[in-house]
Amino acid sequence: MTHLAWNAKEATVGELAERSGVAPSALRFYEREGLISSRRTTGNQRRYSRDTLRRVAFIRTSQRLGIPLATIRDVLALLPEDRTPTREDWVRISECWRDDLDRRIRTLRRLRDNLADCIGCGCLSLDRCVLSNPGDELAAHGPGPRRLIED
């Protein structure tokens, strides 16, 4: 095991993987996708700046929230490249998808509340069920599960 020293300015792919909890293959993938970057040594080995740890944590957290990699890449492009991002930088970019996250939270709550009433109840009340769509009457509102995605 290799440990990243607290005062290290750069990390190898192994050190970054160990410290971030992300597999080296995922780090290489993130790099290919333009989410993180490294410099190469004369021996062609990757060296990541220490602030890459924050970027990787941001990427992983964003992915867990269901945010697509392309969206994450666009937002990370707003961070400064000439210095370590500050708290204000991170706050600024997190605001980019606040509305989207609020919409997702509303949708998940609606799904949770509707499913809690339906799963296992056995009522078979399709005429009253909020998830049912008799005669496909909701098609006029657009594609998808309209009752779950509309406010």
Side-chain angles (χ1 to χ4, degrees):
M1 262 199 221
T2 58
H3 293 288
L4 182 60
W6 69 270
N7 59 350
K9 300 221 184 289
E10 290 186 320
T12 65
V13 69
E15 290 168 337
L16 185 63
E18 181 182 331
R19 180 64 183 90
S20 67
V22 175
S25 59
L27 294 172
R28 289 187 289 274
F29 172 76
Y30 291 161
E31 191 170 349
R32 276 193 313 274
E33 292 297 311
L35 298 163
I36 62 175
S37 62
S38 67
R39 74 170 184 86
R40 297 296 181 121
T41 66
T42 55
N44 203 30
Q45 294 175 331
R46 290 176 168 88
R47 292 295 184 267
Y48 297 94
S49 63
R50 187 167 186 96
D51 62 276
T52 304
L53 273 171
R54 286 192 182 129
R55 289 176 187 258
V56 171
F58 182 80
I59 294 164
R60 297 296 291 187
T61 301
S62 300
Q63 285 182 298
R64 286 188 180 122
L65 295 174
I67 297 170
L69 283 179
T71 304
I72 297 168
R73 182 185 319 104
D74 292 345
V75 170
L76 285 173
L78 301 173
L79 287 175
E81 291 187 28
D82 59 337
R83 63 173 169 79
T84 300
T86 63
R87 174 181 281 284
E88 291 76 26
D89 293 324
W90 289 108
V91 167
R92 180 175 45 83
I93 69 164
S94 69
E95 289 295 321
C96 290
W97 51 53
R98 185 177 201 83
D99 291 341
D100 180 50
L101 289 175
D102 288 341
R103 180 188 53 75
R104 289 170 187 250
I105 290 168
R106 285 191 306 273
T107 300
L108 287 169
R109 283 186 178 144
R110 195 166 30 255
L111 178 63
R112 177 202 60 206
D113 295 345
N114 289 328
L115 289 177
D117 291 339
C118 294
I119 292 179
C121 75
C123 72
L124 302 177
S125 301
L126 295 180
D127 59 330
R128 291 178 285 140
C129 180
V130 297
L131 297 177
S132 177
N133 183 18
D136 199 21
E137 59 195 42
L138 294 176
H141 297 271
R146 303 315 304 173
R147 286 193 174 107
L148 292 176
I149 61 176
E150 289 180 353
D151 287 329

